[in-house]
Amino acid sequence: MRIVVFFSGTGTNLESIIHNQKKYGYEVCACFTNNPQAGGIHICEDHGLECKVIDNNHFTDRVEYDKEIDLYLNSIEPDFIILAGYMRIFSSCLVDNWEGQIVNIHPSLLPKYPGLNTHQRALDAGDKYHGTTIHFVTSELDDGPIIRQESFEIEPSDDPNSLMDKIKEIEHRIYPETISFLNK
Ligand code: GAR
């Protein structure tokens, strides 16, 4: 199974996905980012992986930008597109072309807290539990059939940073394993 990993930032999930390829029997065939400054680009270099960079700031129109992504995806023909901290919304034409093949990880217990600042929002709401969700991507933001969730109890000492660390630790464990369960 060949996957392409999309990211926008530090890429710690990207790293765990790359690191676990052999263990779980999938192949990271390529990586993609919208952000030329993304730390994850160095992770790709360290692993000798090609990273395609298309800077979204060079486009005024989201559909035009996503057409470029579609061309790129057609050139590499991945079985799955794995979003790992990719902080842009796909337009519906892109989602339609790759329906059932795009998977995202989102740092909340969806349907709670789609969008940004999920850790602060869980704290503000006085939630007892927080967690992360792996789901198929549809044209709605942070929506789509849920594949897997994992939660933990929020402690009184937690703040947004500690919640982020706890979530990433879970994500690094469950995302690679979940990818290996996807069917071509
Ligand atoms: C991850 O926690 C992921 O769940 C989140 O961004 C972080 C990326 O961290 N994704 C989203 O918020 C998507 N809506 P990383 O760059 O260290 O892997």
Side-chain angles (χ1 to χ4, degrees), residues 9-14 84-87 104-107 142 168 171:
T10 50
T12 63
N13 275 286
L14 165 73
Y86 183 67
M87 302 308 281
N104 184 38
I105 193 159
H106 181 75
D142 296 326
K168 285 199 184 186
E171 291 181 339

Side-chain angles (χ1 to χ4, degrees), residues 6-17 39-40 43 83-88 104-108 113-119 131-133 135 141-142 163-164 167-169 171-172 175:
F6 278 46
F7 63 94
S8 299
T10 50
T12 63
N13 275 286
L14 165 73
E15 174 128 59
S16 80
I17 290 166
I43 295 172
L83 309 186
Y86 183 67
M87 302 308 281
R88 284 181 59 84
N104 184 38
I105 193 159
H106 181 75
S108 78
Y113 317 130
L116 301 174
N117 301 321
T118 58
H119 314 309
T132 190
T133 304
H135 66 98
L141 174 66
D142 296 326
L163 290 182
M164 182 183 75
I167 286 216
K168 285 199 184 186
E169 203 180 309
E171 291 181 339
H172 299 162
Y175 210 9

Side-chain angles (χ1 to χ4, degrees), residues 42-146:
H42 301 294
I43 295 172
C44 298
E45 286 166 1
D46 289 348
H47 289 86
L49 279 166
E50 186 209 335
C51 182
K52 177 81 170 174
V53 183
I54 306 182
D55 187 346
N56 60 284
N57 289 315
H58 295 160
F59 293 76
T60 47
D61 186 285
R62 187 155 61 95
V63 173
E64 288 305 314
Y65 181 71
D66 282 0
K67 275 186 192 161
E68 290 293 315
I69 293 182
D70 196 38
L71 281 173
Y72 168 67
L73 289 173
N74 279 315
S75 75
I76 57 171
E77 294 191 326
D79 295 308
F80 288 96
I81 299 142
I82 303 296
L83 309 186
Y86 183 67
M87 302 308 281
R88 284 181 59 84
I89 302 165
F90 280 166
S91 50
S92 52
C93 56
L94 189 56
V95 174
D96 290 348
N97 285 351
W98 297 91
E99 201 188 339
Q101 288 173 273
I102 312 174
V103 176
N104 184 38
I105 193 159
H106 181 75
S108 78
L109 295 171
L110 291 173
K112 277 188 164 184
Y113 317 130
L116 301 174
N117 301 321
T118 58
H119 314 309
Q120 187 64 57
R121 287 156 75 194
L123 290 169
D124 290 347
D127 286 356
K128 196 165 187 297
Y129 295 96
H130 192 39
T132 190
T133 304
I134 300 169
H135 66 98
F136 286 108
V137 171
T138 64
S139 49
E140 300 296 317
L141 174 66
D142 296 326
D143 198 33
I146 290 175

